[in-house]
Each structure stands twice: as C-alpha cells, then as structure tokens.
Amino acid sequence: ALKIIKSNDDYLSAKEREKNFQRFKREMEILSRLHNPFILSVVDVIEIEINGQKVVGLITDMVEGSNLEGVIKREKGGMSPQKAVEFAGELTIALETLRKVSLVHRDLKPANIFLQDMPDGKQIVRLGDFGIAAFEELMGEERKENPPEPWETIKKKYNARITNAGMVRGSPPYMSPEQVSAGLMTHRSDLYSLGVVIYEMISGKRLFDAVSANDTMIKHLTEKPLTLYDAGYKDIPKWLDGIVMKLLSKNPADRFYSASEVFAALKAGVKEDYPE
C-alpha cells in the first residue's frame, strides 16, 4: 500500500510543507525499526517530484480488510467482550514493543488500528499511523520549548482553550489527561488511550463525545467515566470492567505499569471466563 502526503496543500507555507515531509520520513524511520506482527510494517519510502512538486510516500504492507473504526460503526451496540479482549490482547503486544524502545504512539484510536484478514477467516490488528509518535526523551525537549501549565490551572479554566496549555498533539476523543494538558507523557499515556478504545469496542460509543474538541479534552481531565456495567453493559465480566477502569485512571501512576501487565490481566480473565 502507498501512503502519500497530498501535494495540493497550497494553504501551507513552504516551511510548513517541508516540516510535514520531514515528519513523514521520520515515521518511516521509526516503523522500519519495529518488528511485530501487530504493527503495520514499512517496506520503503519514496521521494519524487511531479510537475515540480515534491511528493513523499511510504510503501507499507497491504492490509486486506478494514480498520477498527469501521468495524465499530458496523457493530451497532458494540462488539462482544470476547472479540474486544482478543483485539485488546493483540494491541498490548504491539504497545509493549513500543515501550521497550521508549516510544509513545500518542494517537492510538480505532482509525489507526487496521484489521488484517487472515486465511482462516479471523482478523488480527495492525497498529499504524506513527506520524506523531515520539521517544520519551525527545518529548522532554518539546516540553522545554512549550512549557505546560499545571493541571490544576488547566482544570479551573474549563471553557478556556486547552491548546494554549502547551504543545498538544493527538485526537481529542482518545487523549490522556496528561496529553491534554501537555504534561509529561510516557508509555502509560498510550495505555489510557487503549482503555478508551476498549470501552468504545464494547459500548459502540466514544467514552467522551462533547460538542467541541475542547470540551471533550476537558472531560478527559475532569470527568469520571461510568463503568461499562453501570453504563448498561451487563454481560461484561467484572475483571474486564476493572481492567478498563484502571486503564482510564486520571493519574498515570494509578494505571498499569506496562502493556505486558495489561496482557497478563487479560489472559488471567480469559482463562477464567473464556477457556475456549
């Protein structure tokens, strides 16, 4: 598959366009070093000129299938807990690979989780779109350039523009509280996003879906979500509901330490309730 940057972004300055090209090439460099069956592989990068305009593209594995966003929309009312656990387990394996190289995805969401059709009729996840991924040590430099405001200050603003709090990157419905406030981000930020994705897989609805992106981000900072059981999904095992709520903790220290811990918790529950 070929993924390219549009060449008709005339509204962008030459400097902004070049910055996008460099980010795109950086995504290729990151992906080419990651080897995991649940991460979308990059084969090559191309950089050519067409009619005097530079075109940059990534050549990736071809995913025969859909993405998780499309499946959730088709599965009105959400998918079964068993299927959600299966996909979640594969995502934890992908995220653990990132953790081992101190890389934070920063944009984990259903649209970036592709579903590969397998010969046996099953599907496996392929995590892609690393355009805003960053290594933990490099994010420290970003914070020096764009110092964040303290969490308490952000919370008091409510209707203020969250994006003034520093360099905020990501997709508001899936951003961790520390990502919203441009705070220190680690692997645990991706774990929060994983919790949001699992919640959406089971419920068929976004965890927080306010009128504006700004209001959605404020909810991630301040609003405690209902458990899936309390939200009406009575067939969910207590252990799975507990895993999701732990992932959704506002304080990163209250979440799981690593994706491998999440995998272990999922595995223990599966052995108990879904031995098949």
Side-chain angles (χ1 to χ4, degrees):
L2 180 61
K3 174 183 174 183
I4 64 170
I5 290 183
K6 294 178 183 177
S7 59
N8 60 348
D9 293 335
D10 296 329
Y11 60 91
L12 294 177
S13 67
K15 185 177 180 180
E16 289 171 324
R17 197 174 294 115
E18 181 61 28
K19 188 174 181 180
N20 281 346
F21 287 145
Q22 294 305 318
R23 178 182 292 175
F24 201 69
K25 290 165 70 176
R26 177 172 155 274
E27 179 180 352
M28 181 279 301
E29 292 167 1
I30 290 172
L31 283 172
S32 66
R33 290 181 291 186
L34 300 176
H35 301 284
N36 185 291
F38 305 120
I39 293 177
L40 188 65
S41 300
V42 164
V43 179
D44 202 357
V45 63
I46 62 169
E47 186 173 344
I48 58 176
E49 279 197 8
I50 299 178
N51 298 326
Q53 286 191 310
K54 182 159 58 173
V55 176
V56 179
L58 294 180
I59 301 174
T60 75
D61 284 350
M62 179 66 185
V63 177
E64 297 287 354
S66 180
N67 64 16
L68 188 56
E69 182 179 55
V71 170
I72 291 173
K73 286 180 179 177
R74 287 199 303 270
E75 299 267 355
K76 295 179 180 178
M79 62 181 65
S80 69
Q82 296 97 317
K83 177 57 68 176
V85 166
E86 191 173 343
F87 288 155
E90 293 168 355
L91 284 170
T92 61
I93 296 171
L95 291 176
E96 184 64 12
T97 294
L98 304 190
R99 184 186 74 84
K100 288 179 177 177
V101 295
S102 299
L103 185 66
V104 183
H105 189 282
R106 301 203 290 186
D107 202 18
L108 185 68
K109 60 182 179 180
N112 291 339
I113 299 168
F114 304 99
L115 297 177
Q116 177 85 55
D117 292 334
M118 303 301 286
D120 62 1
K122 291 185 177 181
Q123 290 180 313
I124 65 169
V125 303
R126 304 291 298 279
L127 178 60
D129 205 335
F130 285 71
I132 61 170
F135 293 98
E136 291 184 15
E137 62 270 21
L138 296 182
M139 283 190 285
E141 295 302 316
E142 284 184 4
R143 295 178 79 240
K144 288 179 184 177
E145 295 174 7
N146 301 275
E149 295 180 15
W151 277 28
E152 294 305 318
T153 303
I154 301 298
K155 290 177 183 178
K156 289 177 182 176
K157 289 188 174 181
Y158 279 84
N159 295 318
R161 287 186 58 81
I162 291 289
T163 46
N164 289 339
M167 185 59 69
V168 176
R169 295 189 178 97
S171 301
Y174 306 95
M175 291 167 69
S176 67
E178 61 270 28
Q179 189 172 9
V180 167
S181 58
L184 179 62
M185 289 176 62
T186 66
H187 175 68
R188 288 179 173 180
S189 178
D190 282 345
L191 295 185
Y192 180 92
S193 301
L194 174 64
V196 180
V197 169
I198 299 173
Y199 196 102
E200 188 170 333
M201 281 195 285
I202 294 171
S203 68
K205 301 174 184 176
R206 289 178 173 175
L207 177 67
F208 299 125
D209 200 9
V211 175
S212 69
N214 192 60
D215 289 342
T216 299
M217 290 191 284
I218 289 170
K219 285 177 178 291
H220 282 297
L221 274 174
T222 62
E223 189 168 311
K224 184 177 181 180
L226 287 174
T227 68
L228 282 159
Y229 186 84
D230 289 341
Y233 304 95
K234 305 300 184 183
D235 60 339
I236 183 173
K238 287 185 178 180
W239 57 265
L240 181 54
D241 211 358
I243 288 172
V244 173
M245 296 312 295
K246 186 170 182 176
L247 288 168
L248 294 176
S249 298
K250 303 294 186 189
N251 187 343
D254 294 334
R255 298 172 206 152
F256 291 89
Y257 174 75
S258 66
S260 61
E261 280 193 0
V262 183
F263 181 87
L266 290 169
K267 185 176 180 180
V270 166
K271 288 177 71 175
E272 179 181 336
D273 278 2
Y274 311 122
E276 71 283 2

